[in-house]
Every structure is written in C-alpha cells, then in structure tokens.
Amino acid sequence: MLDHTTLDRLRATPVAEGRHLIDGQWVGASDGARMEVISPLDGQVLTTIAAGTDADAQAACAAARRAFDDGRWSGLAPAARKAVLLRWAALIEAEAEALAVLGVRDNGTEIGMALKAEPLSAAATIRYYAEAADKHYGQIAPTAPGTLGLVHAEPVGVVAAIVPWNFPLMIGAWKLGPALAAGCTVVVKPPETASLTLLRIAELAQTAGLPDGVLNVVTGAGSVVGEALSLSQKVDVVTFTGSGPVGRRLMQNAGASNLKRVYLELGGKSPNIVFADAPDLDEAAKVSAAGIFRNSGQVCVAGSRILVERGIHDAFVEKLAAQARATVVGDPLDPATQAGAVNSARQLQQNLTFVEEAREQGRTVIGGNRIREETGGYFMEPTIVTGVDPADRLAQEEVFGPVVAVIPFDTEDEAIAIANGTDYGLAAAVWTSDLSRAHRMVARIRAGVVHVNTYGGADLTVPLGGVGQSGNGHDKSLHALDKFLNLKTAWIKL
Ligand code: NAD
C-alpha cells in the first residue's frame, strides 16, 4: 500500500497535456482542438487532451493498417512478440504507483482498489497474454486418409479498442493483451474522462520496443473518434466496453461499413441472491456491500439488485445498512478510503435522479445524498433502496452508481424469475449452504458469471462476458484470443 508521503508527492505532480499516438508520433488534433480533463476529486481542470477529429481517427486506422499489412508485428516470431509484451508489462509494473495516482486524479477510484485493479492488473494481463503468444497451436483435422486438413489461427488484422472510464487500464489491457499477442495492430479510443493512464502506458509500450503504428491512441469524443473507428473500412474488429446505446450504434456502423466483427461488453443489473440458508449472513452482507459500493458502484458486474429471502429480509437489510454506514467514502487518495469519487458531475446527477424517482414512488431510501460537496468533488453516500418492485426502473436499468435495490422473494422459482427478469445478463451471485441449490441456480440464472457464496474477484483465468443485452464475446482467459484470430483451413490432397 502507498504511504502518505508518496501519495502527496504524486498528487502534486503536474500532469502533462495529452496528445494522440499515431504511427509512433505524439501529435495534437488535426485542427488543434483540445478538451479539458476535469478531476472528480475537486471539480477542477487537471489538464487537457487532444480533442480527436475524424481525420485523426482515419490517420490512426491507416497507420495500424500499414503496420499490420507489412508484417512488422504479425510477421515476428510469437516468442519475439512475447518478449516485447513482457518488457511492457514490467515497465507498467515498475511505474504502478505513479500510474495509479494519475488514474485516480482522472477518474476518482479509491487508491487501494486503483493500484490493484488498474496498473497491477493491466501488467498481469499483458504478461498472461504475452506468455500465451507462443503456446497457441493450430490444429490438424481428423480427415480421411489421403487428405490433410490444417486449421491455422491467423491474427485478424486491425483492432479498434473502445474503452470506458471506470477501469481504463484493466479493461484496456483485457483488449490490448490478447489483440497484440495474437499479432493484431490496434487503435485505442480512451474514455473522455479517463484517458491519461492509457496514454502513459502507450508511451511505455514504445520504450518496450513495440514497433511504430502497432499501437495507436486517439483521444476525444466518442461521437467523433469512436464513430470514425467503427465506420472505418480499415478496421477488422471493434472490441468495446461501455453502454448499451453505444454498443448498438457500433453494430449499426459495422453493418453500414465493412461488416467488421463487433464484440460488446455492456452493462448489467446483476442479481445477488441471498437465501435464508446462506452460510454466514454477516459475511454475505459485508461482501454484498463491497460488491455494490466499491468504486462508487461504477463496476460493470456490480451486484446492483439484492434479492433476499423474505424470512431474513429485515435482518439482512439491517446488516447491509450497517455495512453501508461503515463504508468510508472520502478522498480517493487516502488509503483508508473505501469508496472514492463518482467519475463525473453527469454520472452523479444520474445516480441522484434514480434515487429521487424511487423516493417519489414511495420506496424506502437509506442514504441517497451527495456528500463532501465542499471539496468541489463528486461524492455520494452508499445507498440502499428497499421495497423495490422488480418492474421499477431502479430494478430494470443500470445506475452505475453506489445504489442498490433490495427485493424480497419467497421461493427459488420466484428468485430465478426476478433474477432473469431484465434485459441484462452479466453477473449474479447466490448465497446458500445447499450445494444442490447452488448448482441449480448456476444452471438457471442467465448471466456470464454466477458467484457462489462470494461476489466478484473472478480472476484472469476465467472468461467475462454477458448474455442478452449485456453483450457478446468474452474478455479474459485464453478464450479472449479467439476474438482476434481468424481460422483459415488448408485442405491438402496427399
Ligand atoms: P459509454 O458507452 O458512454 O462510453 C464508452 C466508450 O465509448 C468511451 O470511450 C466513449 O468515448 C465511447 N463512445 C461514446 N459514444 C460513442 C460512439 N458513438 N461511437 C463509438 N464510441 C463511442 O460508457 P461509459 O459511460 O464510458 O461507461 C459506463 C458503461 O460501461 C456502463 O453502462 C457500464 O456498465 C459499462 N461497462 C461495462 C463493462 C463490462 O465489462 N461489461 C465494464 C465497464 C463498464
């Protein structure tokens, strides 16, 4: 854990202006436009970044296309790609503290989580896929005698990686690691409100020896830069984490351009189901609280609906409320803080609007207010809303804030019906001592991951992906490589 002296020094470090990385060169926007970066810690301008134009995005796509087509990366021995990526991971790890603090000043995540979940997780992810680069084999098909069927796995080409602000390094690395290990070239579009750390790790990639044009970064508005990437004829794959409406737009743009592959990791309204036979209700309350309140609820897999068996409902809500009250919301650069700042004024307003609506519907709200307003930053109390109807907007739509809806249920079937009763299907949890019930629930809940007697923490070895309107495709694990590989058959008469 970082000490106060280091944190204070890093907090006071001036932040350089951001520029794009295109074809190995650091450049401003083609029209010179810049965009302010507002720190959620105090509402003040932290620095500016290049406000990318359509022309900037086109230039980056062209650079990535050239870098792919001439084989400067895809044509290397996989072990050579591995060596560069391992150097990159080591550089990120060596600079983890500075990267974590820079990221916190940009997006507001509490430092304890940011250090682990951002630079250290990104370094581990890049290392994992680097190691996979020379351990990934093609196949020989079981054909009839006299023929030989070889299945080659080739890099798919140019990848556009569009990243959200909640964990830009972790989620960015989930895309960059497998794409680069597979031999693809990449254009990254960082989120408007959290670009700085992605720019810095791109600089470290240059130091590690990644050839020019293999990794390009274009900052700016999603509606300009992201739009241009998704319409580009030069891009073969879009890999995206973010909101549903943007995901839809990307699919439309793929259809309107070159039918590029589009992989979406979208939001969730994940059910966290607590049965009366949960092995330890105190533990369930503690982990469930962390599962929605850490990073101010800005976690795609956050357990934002807690379904509680009616017999233990009141007792559980009491325990959950105690956990909410005990959660330290504060300066994200204080190691004691457990929930930092909400990312932006817009996100804070969205959170408060959901709570206001619930109040107007007569639901019971514990917490629900903006706090620490005197800092100029965007902070919100951990908030519990009880008496929520499964049809309420709060039970159907993603808040992406520290707001949890509590819904009682009577039977296993009813719990399943409520759990599966949204358009989403990203994550879920079941708390029970009954092994058979745990397996039944895992089978019946529509989600990409079902936790049992825990919430969150699924590591890099397992895939993360949604069903329904939570998306398609998977980040993490060796399965993520499939998104960036094409299968090519060689059919040979012997
Ligand atoms: P967002 O969709 O607004 O933005 C995500 C990215 O898309 C940003 O880089 C943005 O600039 C870009 N973008 C915006 N408009 C675009 C357009 N027209 N074309 C192309 N790109 C565009 O989402 P956000 O507010 O940054 O992130 C929050 C959302 O992300 C939440 O809904 C959350 O659930 C989701 N999320 C999902 C996961 C997951 O793994 N499933 C992880 C984190 C966040």
Side-chain angles (χ1 to χ4, degrees):
M1 176 49 70
L2 279 156
D3 60 77
H4 283 281
T5 318
T6 311
L7 281 167
D8 288 344
R9 178 177 53 78
L10 292 172
R11 181 204 294 264
T13 306
V15 180
E17 290 187 340
R19 285 176 296 163
H20 304 316
L21 175 60
I22 300 176
D23 211 7
Q25 304 300 313
W26 291 92
V27 295
S30 59
D31 62 2
R34 304 199 61 78
M35 203 172 190
E36 286 185 338
V37 175
I38 308 290
S39 174
L41 277 58
D42 55 12
Q44 301 297 309
V45 178
L46 186 58
T47 183
T48 62
I49 51 173
T53 60
D54 184 81
D56 298 335
Q58 303 295 350
C61 292
R65 185 79 256 167
R66 282 194 302 276
F68 183 77
D69 290 347
D70 71 14
R72 73 186 80 166
W73 182 244
S74 61
L76 293 182
R81 289 203 297 271
K82 173 171 84 170
V84 174
L85 294 176
L86 287 177
R87 278 199 296 276
W88 189 27
L91 289 168
I92 294 171
E93 202 165 58
E95 213 179 288
E97 294 186 348
L99 276 165
V101 173
L102 179 65
V104 169
R105 293 169 77 192
D106 202 2
N107 84 341
T109 300
E110 57 276 8
I111 186 67
M113 172 174 275
L115 185 61
K116 273 186 280 182
E118 283 282 279
L120 294 180
S121 150
T125 298
I126 290 162
R127 190 172 287 130
Y128 176 92
Y129 289 106
E131 287 295 352
D134 62 353
K135 298 173 190 68
H136 198 263
Y137 291 76
Q139 293 172 327
I140 301 173
T143 56
T147 55
L148 177 61
L150 300 179
V151 184
H152 297 274
E154 297 184 329
V156 73
V158 176
V159 174
I162 305 179
V163 180
W165 44 259
N166 55 344
F167 293 104
L169 286 188
M170 176 172 75
I171 294 172
W174 287 349
K175 300 175 187 321
L176 286 167
L180 292 171
C184 294
T185 60
V186 184
V187 181
V188 178
K189 156 71 185 81
E192 290 87 327
T193 56
S195 296
L196 303 175
T197 52
L198 281 165
L199 290 172
R200 177 59 191 149
I201 70 162
E203 218 173 329
L204 295 177
Q206 289 184 298
T207 310
L210 200 69
D212 290 350
V214 174
L215 172 60
N216 307 273
V217 187
V218 182
T219 56
S223 55
V224 179
V225 178
E227 187 76 5
L229 298 179
S230 60
L231 282 168
S232 171
Q233 299 287 343
K234 295 191 162 60
V235 170
D236 300 295
V237 172
V238 170
T239 171
F240 170 77
T241 298
S243 62
V246 175
R248 272 172 215 281
R249 178 90 191 146
L250 297 174
M251 284 196 149
Q252 285 165 355
N253 286 350
S257 55
N258 62 346
L259 295 174
K260 57 181 68 69
R261 299 188 197 172
V262 178
Y263 295 107
L264 305 175
E265 304 284 343
L266 308 174
K269 195 75 214 180
S270 300
N272 178 9
I273 307 169
V274 187
F275 284 96
D277 66 356
D280 179 344
L281 267 197
D282 290 308
E283 171 75 2
K286 185 172 161 206
V287 174
S288 299
I292 178 65
F293 300 137
R294 291 296 168 90
N295 200 20
S296 302
Q298 301 164 140
V299 178
C300 55
V301 297
S304 54
R305 289 184 295 157
I306 302 187
L307 281 47
V308 190
E309 193 166 350
R310 202 174 299 273
I312 57 160
H313 177 274
D314 293 354
F316 185 80
V317 168
E318 222 167 89
K319 290 179 194 298
L320 191 68
Q323 291 294 335
R325 279 192 299 274
T327 302
V328 182
V329 183
D331 174 9
L333 289 174
D334 179 343
T337 291
Q338 294 172 314
V342 172
N343 178 256
S344 64
R346 196 190 77 176
Q347 182 64 51
L348 177 63
Q349 191 48 52
Q350 178 171 315
N351 302 347
L352 295 171
T353 303
F354 267 98
V355 173
E356 203 38 52
E357 262 182 43
R359 279 205 184 96
E360 280 163 14
Q361 285 176 301
R363 312 303 177 222
T364 304
V365 176
I366 304 169
N369 301 303
R370 179 178 185 179
I371 52 174
R372 306 186 83 243
E373 204 168 341
E374 70 287 355
T375 63
Y378 316 128
F379 296 89
M380 182 168 173
E381 285 177 293
T383 301
I384 300 166
V385 184
T386 62
V388 174
D389 186 278
D392 286 0
R393 195 166 86 92
L394 184 62
Q396 290 292 322
E397 292 181 24
E398 185 178 49
V399 179
F400 219 53
V403 182
V404 67
V406 180
I407 305 171
F409 69 86
D410 289 299
T411 65
E412 200 176 298
D413 282 347
E414 190 189 359
I416 291 285
I418 298 171
N420 290 343
T422 74
D423 291 335
Y424 291 112
L426 189 56
V430 183
W431 297 82
T432 179
S433 300
D434 180 338
L435 185 62
S436 302
R437 168 185 275 159
H439 283 289
R440 282 196 302 273
M441 297 296 283
V442 169
R444 295 179 69 194
I445 294 174
R446 220 166 48 95
V449 53
V450 182
H451 307 88
V452 177
N453 295 332
T454 187
Y455 202 98
D459 72 16
L460 195 58
T461 60
V462 289
L464 172 67
V467 297
Q469 293 186 28
S470 286
N472 58 32
H474 292 92
D475 282 330
K476 301 171 44 188
S477 84
L478 291 180
H479 294 286
L481 285 165
D482 295 343
K483 294 190 294 190
F484 308 109
L485 294 168
N486 260 332
L487 297 183
K488 180 196 273 177
T489 297
W491 184 256
I492 301 165
K493 184 170 179 300
L494 298 175

